């Protein structure tokens, strides 16, 4: 479904959303410029999927977004959280969004040092409500030149993520004429 003209986009996640390592750049800020919609940056550094699961309902209620961009999981991978628990937490967040009638773009993240995305992300796709982007975040995080350290993108990395997310929104039909 296309975003309504005044719809707010909620970027919900951890330090990859908040912009750690970006020297003032973050993908939600850049994305807002690219798509012409307000994008709320609800990134909390260090957050796990369990913590995000606890926080999401209130943030959805308070922000009333037309679209949720969900990006969590890297801190779980760093802490050795079992994949089944990560998937369950992400699935519960997708259920919260569905209950609020908010479509979701889920940004898959690789485990630090991994060369590919964990299949748990693709398994979460729900064609009517959840679109999975396996590349926007991962392609940047797997390129050392676009990173400020082990986990975080640099400013150019965040710009690349924003461009890829905007394209994913276009490809998915959320953006019609932008």
């Amino acid at each position: 479904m296309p975003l309504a003209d005044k719809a707010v986009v909620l970027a919900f996640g951890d330090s990859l959303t908040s912009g750690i390592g970006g020297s003032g750049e973050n993908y939600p800020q850049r994305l807002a410029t690219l798509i012409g919609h307000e994008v709320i940056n609800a990134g909390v550094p260090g957050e796990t999927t369990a913590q995000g699961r606890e926080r999401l309902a209130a943030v959805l209620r308070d922000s009333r977004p037309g679209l949720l961009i969900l990006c969590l999981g890297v801190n779980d991978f760093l802490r050795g959280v079992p994949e089944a628990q990560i998937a369950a937490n992400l699935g519960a967040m997708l259920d919260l969004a569905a209950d609020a009638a908010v479509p979701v773009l889920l940004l898959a993240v690789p485990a630090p040092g991994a060369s590919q995305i964990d299949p748990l992300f693709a398994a979460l796709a729900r064609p009517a409500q959840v679109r999975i982007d396996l590349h926007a975040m991962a392609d940047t995080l797997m390129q050392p030149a676009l990173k400020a350290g082990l986990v975080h993108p640099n400013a150019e990395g965040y710009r690349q993520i924003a461009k890829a997310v905007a394209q994913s929104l276009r490809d998915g039909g959320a953006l019609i004429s932008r």
Side-chain angles (χ1 to χ4, degrees), residues 15 31 42 50 53 76 84 86 89 108 110 120 134 146 167 173-174:
S15 58
L31 181 63
R53 181 179 181 174
D76 296 76
I86 297 169
N89 288 331
L120 78 87
L134 298 174
L146 296 175
Q167 188 60 52

Side-chain angles (χ1 to χ4, degrees), residues 39-124:
V39 179
I40 297 170
N41 186 336
V44 174
E47 188 163 74
T48 63
T49 57
Q51 292 164 327
R53 181 179 181 174
E54 292 298 317
R55 184 170 70 95
L56 182 58
V59 177
L60 286 172
R61 183 186 61 244
D62 293 345
S63 63
R64 305 181 65 82
L67 174 73
L68 168 64
I69 300 173
L70 179 60
C71 182
L72 282 169
V74 75
N75 291 309
D76 296 76
F77 289 133
L78 286 168
R79 292 179 173 101
V81 174
E83 289 179 15
Q85 187 176 347
I86 297 169
N89 288 331
L90 290 170
M93 286 185 268
L94 298 177
D95 291 342
L96 285 170
D99 291 346
V102 177
V104 179
L105 175 62
L106 177 62
L107 302 181
V109 294
S115 61
Q116 61 186 15
I117 292 294
D118 193 291
L120 78 87
F121 288 98
L124 292 167

Side-chain angles (χ1 to χ4, degrees), residues 115-178:
S115 61
Q116 61 186 15
I117 292 294
D118 193 291
L120 78 87
F121 288 98
L124 292 167
R126 300 175 186 176
Q129 187 241 349
V130 178
R131 180 175 169 84
I132 309 293
D133 188 316
L134 298 174
H135 301 286
M137 191 64 70
D139 287 356
T140 295
L141 294 178
M142 291 183 195
Q143 294 184 53
L146 296 175
K147 292 174 66 177
L150 175 65
V151 176
H152 301 103
N154 57 27
E156 181 57 28
Y158 283 116
R159 286 190 286 275
Q160 293 299 317
I161 291 165
K163 287 179 190 175
V165 170
Q167 188 60 52
S168 186
L169 293 175
R170 282 185 198 90
D171 293 347
L175 303 175
I176 299 301
S177 62
R178 296 178 212 246

